Amino acid sequence: QHAPPCARASSQQNDLSPDLAFDGENLGFGGRGWCATMGEGFGWIEYEFAEPVEVTDVKLWFYNSDHSAGGDAYIEASTDGKTWTRLKTITDIGYNYLEVALS
């Protein structure tokens, strides 16, 4: 079991902070989690783990039951926080839940 990561984001809507997106409590519509400030365009969320970890999948739920990024979404990884490698491009729209396999 790994320690919870440090979380950062481009912005947050009200009390929907980035640390809530990784707490295991935000499971599905009506749950809690991170939300970028509405009306500001694209947002991002970033995690920094204390040690290297293998992430095999990412589960996404959307606040308004609909993919709302207004375009493609990306899952990226970095070992130094500066150089990023795109692991997955998400082009799906119109979903309220999506599980993305990374391996």
Side-chain angles (χ1 to χ4, degrees):
Q1 189 75 326
H2 297 282
C6 296
R8 289 181 289 280
S10 55
S11 64
Q12 76 180 52
Q13 179 75 19
N14 300 321
D15 60 348
L16 301 173
S17 62
D19 58 310
L20 295 177
F22 206 88
D23 68 357
E25 299 293 325
N26 56 320
L27 305 176
F29 186 72
R32 63 186 198 172
W34 168 73
C35 182
T37 302
M38 293 180 190
E40 290 192 0
F42 297 101
W44 54 263
I45 188 167
E46 174 184 332
Y47 293 104
E48 181 179 347
F49 295 87
E51 59 191 50
V53 298
E54 180 181 10
V55 177
T56 58
D57 64 293
V58 175
K59 298 174 185 171
L60 305 167
W61 286 271
F62 286 85
Y63 175 76
N64 63 354
S65 294
D66 189 22
H67 175 278
S68 57
D72 294 347
Y74 307 104
I75 298 173
E76 299 180 328
S78 175
T79 58
D80 62 9
K82 296 176 182 148
T83 303
W84 294 87
T85 300
R86 185 160 300 157
L87 303 177
K88 192 70 87 169
T89 299
I90 303 167
T91 58
D92 301 326
I93 59 171
Y95 56 84
N96 64 355
Y97 169 77
L98 186 64
E99 186 165 350
V100 180
L102 299 177
S103 56

